[in-house]
Amino acid sequence: MNKLKAKMIYKIKKDVALKGKIKILLMILQFPVVFGAFLGSKLYFHNRKIWLIGETGIDAKDNGLAFFSYLKKNHKEIDTVYYITGDSKAADTVKELGDVVKTNSFKNKMMFMTSRYILSTHDGYSIPFKGVNWREFKIVYGWMVPKLQFVFLNHGVNKDDTAENANYNRTRFDFHVTTTEAEFEEMTSVQYGYPKGSIIKTGLARYDVLQNNKNVYRQKRNIIYMPTWRYYLADVSDEEFIKSDYFLKMYSFMHSGELNNLLESNDINFYFFPPHHEIQERIHLFDLDQTRIRTFNTEEDNFSKVVLESAMMITDFSSVVFDFAYLYKRTAYYQFDLKKYRQGHYKEGYFKYESDGFGPILYEEDKIIAEIEKAIDNNFVIDEYYEKRIRNTFSVTDNKNSERLYKILKE
């Protein structure tokens, strides 16, 4: 029964048109709250032109934090506020930098209504009204705040065919940050439908942090494993999750005697650091206490520090591999469920792993373990073959990404 329910929920979530209609209705029903926030903003904030920045509403580890930090350090004249809730290390970090507002509070709603820009890595969590995205707010209430604009800071490099979910009619983003020339060309293509000037090639703000700290954090003999999530497992129970090929393949890999002996004999630190909270919530199911594998928590650990201290990244399809490539570090892809991933997740886009990837593509457990052994034997030095691909991918690798974005928004 739970499995059937999960499939039904997944099917609804995949129906973009149906989801859009439901969210429009939700937005309309919240008129009293929206109008109250609008009046409150005029009374309490006197038309302040706030740059309201954040991520998922409970964290500060990505491009939101990086751009907020840049503004607080370099442009104190900008009225900048970060939305975040909860008692956490992330919240404490942001509070030390500048003003914060509690996510989804009425104060957050009022600040939203008096902002000049909403800047976020996500377009759902950043909207302080229940169950809607920027698109629905703009369609229903854009007339109230005609100058308010949404800046999608992005949380990675778009490399797949995301036209169905990320087209302009679906997002209504006023600005959409891209990093590479190929990504920029993809997002400015007709199938995405963005108005001229909406897609901007500034680079991700968090890349500045990597460049600024690459001489601060010394690279260690660390390997980091960062698999991405599978949408079709989002609503299944733990019992169903541990029966999935996704779980079983990763469990087998990390519990492999061959892998653990290899790590032990070479004194290698191996970290399991899935970037999505859906896997983070189920890390305990992998039962890694008796292995050489250790875990990182996305809410507690410094992502940039983890990347800078690691010598190799293993992923399947996650775009975080671009962070590693930005620093010319060694990578490998373990794509054990390629066919199923393409059927239930994003279709392949302009980025072809065989010709554009930053490391070898492996499909079987023994092959990825052999690649790890090869990397250790070569002291994790990246192959010239893949180094050339990285150079061709990034036209610029500097620490000016936030500066480029700031200049565009000010102009």
Side-chain angles (χ1 to χ4, degrees), residues 290-308:
Q290 303 306 311
T291 71
R292 285 274 305 186
I293 317 299
R294 295 295 173 260
T295 61
F296 279 128
N297 187 303
T298 56
E299 310 306 328
E300 299 293 333
D301 294 290
N302 184 318
F303 174 73
S304 296
K305 182 174 181 287
V306 171
V307 170
L308 288 163

Side-chain angles (χ1 to χ4, degrees), residues 198-344:
S198 295
I199 305 299
I200 52 179
K201 188 165 76 75
T202 62
L204 299 180
R206 70 170 185 254
Y207 288 177
D208 294 343
V209 181
L210 295 177
Q211 288 290 344
N212 291 336
N213 289 281
K214 64 183 180 181
N215 294 321
V216 176
Y217 298 109
R218 183 176 60 86
Q219 180 172 296
K220 303 176 181 178
R221 290 168 66 80
N222 296 352
I223 298 174
I224 184 169
Y225 180 33
M226 299 188 73
T228 194
W229 180 233
R230 303 297 187 269
Y231 288 151
Y232 51 83
L233 293 173
D235 299 291
V236 303
S237 64
D238 283 354
E239 290 73 19
E240 290 297 328
F241 179 73
I242 62 175
K243 294 177 184 176
S244 68
D245 288 340
Y246 176 68
F247 172 82
L248 292 172
K249 290 288 188 181
M250 289 195 294
Y251 185 95
S252 175
F253 169 51
M254 290 188 286
H255 281 263
S256 163
E258 184 180 355
L259 172 64
N260 282 273
N261 289 336
L262 178 65
L263 301 175
E264 179 76 33
S265 61
N266 289 278
D267 194 25
I268 301 295
N269 300 310
F270 191 106
Y271 296 99
F272 182 42
F273 190 22
H276 295 269
H277 67 85
E278 291 93 342
I279 320 180
Q280 286 281 332
E281 293 173 353
R282 307 198 201 213
I283 276 185
H284 64 283
L285 299 174
F286 289 91
D287 191 25
L288 297 170
D289 290 344
Q290 303 306 311
T291 71
R292 285 274 305 186
I293 317 299
R294 295 295 173 260
T295 61
F296 279 128
N297 187 303
T298 56
E299 310 306 328
E300 299 293 333
D301 294 290
N302 184 318
F303 174 73
S304 296
K305 182 174 181 287
V306 171
V307 170
L308 288 163
E309 290 187 341
S310 298
M312 180 182 187
M313 175 184 285
I314 300 169
T315 187
D316 45 11
F317 306 96
S318 177
S319 65
V320 294
V321 74
F322 281 78
D323 294 64
F324 248 58
Y326 203 75
L327 297 170
Y328 287 87
K329 289 178 177 254
R330 190 164 184 137
T331 63
Y333 301 93
Y334 182 30
Q335 299 180 348
F336 52 79
D337 63 344
L338 175 60
K339 186 176 181 180
K340 191 167 185 178
Y341 176 83
R342 288 303 179 200
Q343 289 175 340

Side-chain angles (χ1 to χ4, degrees), residues 48-97:
R48 283 169 59 184
K49 299 303 179 184
I50 297 169
W51 290 28
L52 187 59
I53 304 176
E55 295 170 11
T56 65
I58 60 172
D59 59 357
K61 61 179 184 292
D62 202 340
N63 296 308
L65 175 62
F67 192 60
F68 182 73
S69 301
Y70 166 81
L71 290 176
K72 299 309 292 185
K73 181 179 180 180
N74 299 284
H75 297 285
K76 291 183 173 61
E77 75 279 6
I78 301 296
D79 190 354
T80 312
V81 180
Y82 196 99
Y83 65 86
I84 192 168
T85 191
D87 297 321
S88 65
K89 185 177 178 180
D92 292 339
T93 297
V94 179
K95 289 173 185 175
E96 290 177 2
L97 292 172

